[in-house]
Amino acid sequence: MRALHTAATGMMAQELNVQVISNNIANMRTTGYKRQRAEFQDLLYEQVRRVGTQTSEQGNILPAGVELGSGVKTVGTPRLMTQGAIITTGKETDVAIRGEGFFPITMPDGRTAYTRDGSFAIDATGRLVTAQGSLVQPAITVPANSTGLTINAQGQVFVTPAGTTTPTQIGQIQLAVFMNKSGLQGIGDNLFLETPSSGTPQLGTPSTLNFGSMLQNSLEQANVEAVSEISDLIAAQRAYEMNAKVVSAADQMLQSTSGMMR
C-alpha cells in the first residue's frame, strides 16, 4: 500500500528534524553557535487524472485533477546567522563581533577557516590564537612583558610595552564577510569553511561599511532560544506520532484486505 511508504518518509523526515533540534539544544551554551533549521519539500506526484484535460467532445475542461503524492524529503539544514546575545566576560583576549563578519583563522593544515567565536588566548610565543591553538589572521604577537592589552571597536590591538606608559599598536584584527554566509560549511570547533555556495570572502576592517564592530572583554552567545526549540521539538514529535499512526492504520487495512481475499 502506497500509504505505508508515504508515511515512512514522513517519519524519517521528522527523525532528522529532531536530530537538528537536539543539536541546537546541545549547543545552547556554545560560543558563537548558529542554530540550524530543517527544511522539507514534497516528493513527486502520480497524475491519476491530470488537471486541465478535456472531459467531453464539447470542450469541457477538468477543473481539478487527481494527484497522489509520495511523501516528503529533506532539502537542507541551513544555519540562521542572526546575532547572538553578547555577554561580558572580563577577559581581555575575549572579543565579540557586533554585526556582520567572521574571524579568519589559520588551521593546522594551512587552510583558512572562519569563526564567530572570539574566545582567544595568548600562546607561549605571544601569538593571538583560538581555544584550539589555531592562529588568528593576520598574525598578532604580543611583546613579552607588555601590559594593558586593548582591542578597540575598529579591531586595532594596542599594548603598553615594558618601561613605557604610551600604548603602541601591534596589530589589526580583520573580518571576513560572505555573500551567502548560510552557505558556509560547519566543520566543528566553532569553525566554518568557504564553499562555492558561500562565495569568496571579502576581508575588511571592523566598524567600516558592511563590517561589524569589535567588543573587547565580551563573547557572543549561541542564537538558540530554548522556548522556540522545545516548541519545535514537541511539534516534530507530534508529526512523527501521526505518521506512525498512518503506518499502523495502513497495516490494519492491508490485513483486512488480505483476510477478505482468503
Side-chain angles (χ1 to χ4, degrees):
M1 181 178 286
R2 186 193 303 271
L4 284 171
H5 172 76
T6 301
T9 65
M11 293 176 68
M12 289 187 290
Q14 294 309 317
E15 182 180 358
L16 183 145
N17 194 16
V18 170
Q19 174 60 36
V20 171
I21 294 170
S22 67
N23 188 57
N24 289 338
I25 294 175
N27 284 282
M28 285 182 60
R29 299 294 296 171
T30 300
T31 303
Y33 175 79
K34 301 303 178 185
R35 64 181 294 263
Q36 292 177 282
R37 178 183 65 198
E39 294 183 346
F40 306 100
Q41 288 182 353
D42 49 354
L43 290 172
L44 295 174
Y45 288 84
E46 178 185 353
Q47 303 294 330
V48 178
R49 197 176 186 194
R50 190 175 298 276
V51 62
T53 56
Q54 186 172 320
T55 59
S56 70
E57 296 180 356
Q58 287 71 33
N60 293 343
I61 300 298
L62 193 66
V66 178
E67 298 178 334
L68 296 181
S70 53
V72 62
K73 64 179 178 180
T74 306
V75 293
T77 55
R79 293 184 183 273
L80 306 181
M81 295 290 192
T82 55
Q83 177 80 50
I86 294 178
I87 63 169
T88 302
T89 64
K91 182 182 176 184
E92 63 182 6
T93 53
D94 283 346
V95 187
I97 302 174
R98 220 167 14 187
E100 295 294 325
F102 295 82
F103 297 109
I105 304 297
T106 301
M107 297 175 63
D109 60 4
R111 292 182 298 169
T112 299
Y114 304 89
T115 185
R116 293 280 296 191
D117 181 2
S119 53
F120 300 139
I122 306 297
D123 69 5
T125 61
R127 299 176 302 178
L128 190 65
V129 297
T130 67
Q132 296 291 330
S134 299
L135 286 176
V136 177
Q137 293 185 14
I140 298 173
T141 302
V142 178
N145 301 320
S146 60
T147 59
L149 176 67
T150 302
I151 302 172
N152 63 19
Q154 292 74 40
Q156 297 170 325
V157 183
F158 296 88
V159 296
T160 302
T164 69
T165 58
T166 304
T168 301
Q169 183 175 349
I170 60 171
Q172 169 71 61
I173 295 177
Q174 288 189 321
L175 292 178
V177 296
F178 295 85
M179 183 64 68
N180 175 26
K181 55 189 175 182
S182 295
L184 292 169
Q185 176 189 350
I187 58 172
D189 294 332
N190 292 350
L191 298 176
F192 298 95
L193 292 179
E194 168 192 346
T195 70
S197 179
S198 69
T200 57
Q202 301 176 21
L203 297 176
T205 304
S207 296
T208 58
L209 183 64
N210 299 327
F211 293 90
S213 60
M214 301 286 94
L215 190 60
Q216 190 183 13
N217 303 313
S218 303
L219 288 176
E220 180 187 11
Q221 297 298 287
N223 64 349
V224 177
E225 297 181 2
V227 174
S228 176
E229 296 300 327
I230 292 174
S231 176
D232 290 345
L233 180 61
I234 293 173
Q237 182 181 5
R238 294 294 179 267
Y240 184 93
E241 291 173 352
M242 292 178 67
N243 279 285
K245 288 181 179 179
V246 172
V247 170
S248 178
D251 180 55
Q252 292 179 9
M253 292 173 66
L254 281 174
Q255 292 179 8
S256 299
T257 302
S258 298
M260 293 173 62
M261 295 176 63
R262 291 176 183 172

